[in-house]
Amino acid sequence: EKTLRKKEHYINQIGNEIEVKLFKPINKNKQYIGILKSVEDSYIILENNNEEVKIDFKDISTSKTVYNW
């Protein structure tokens, strides 16, 4: 697992599964695990359970890559 801190880290993980923990809930969830679809200037798009979730960088507490063995 690799911690994602910089925008470049996220860009390198597009198409891969990541875990994101938030400071405040989005849709009643403070943690998301899903496929990183895209990285924009101020937010990311994460696919979670066939739904796309927009997450602002400022709302992300921690994030890391996920490896399924």
Side-chain angles (χ1 to χ4, degrees):
E1 296 178 347
K2 177 183 177 186
T3 302
L4 306 174
R5 291 189 183 95
K6 299 179 180 179
K7 184 176 175 182
E8 294 79 28
H9 295 161
Y10 289 93
I11 290 170
N12 290 336
Q13 296 302 321
I14 291 175
N16 295 328
E17 190 172 25
I18 65 169
E19 175 184 353
V20 178
K21 293 183 181 178
L22 306 172
F23 289 116
K24 59 183 180 179
I26 297 175
N27 301 329
K28 300 181 183 176
N29 291 317
K30 284 188 74 174
Q31 178 178 346
Y32 286 93
I33 297 176
I35 304 298
L36 181 60
K37 288 296 186 182
S38 67
V39 178
E40 304 301 330
D41 287 334
S42 62
Y43 63 90
I44 62 171
I45 301 290
L46 191 70
E47 183 178 303
N48 176 270
N49 296 328
N50 294 324
E51 292 183 15
E52 289 191 351
V53 180
K54 177 183 171 184
I55 303 173
D56 289 333
F57 283 117
K58 64 179 177 58
D59 295 332
I60 297 174
S61 168
T62 61
S63 60
K64 62 184 178 181
T65 57
V66 174
Y67 292 107
N68 296 317
W69 300 98

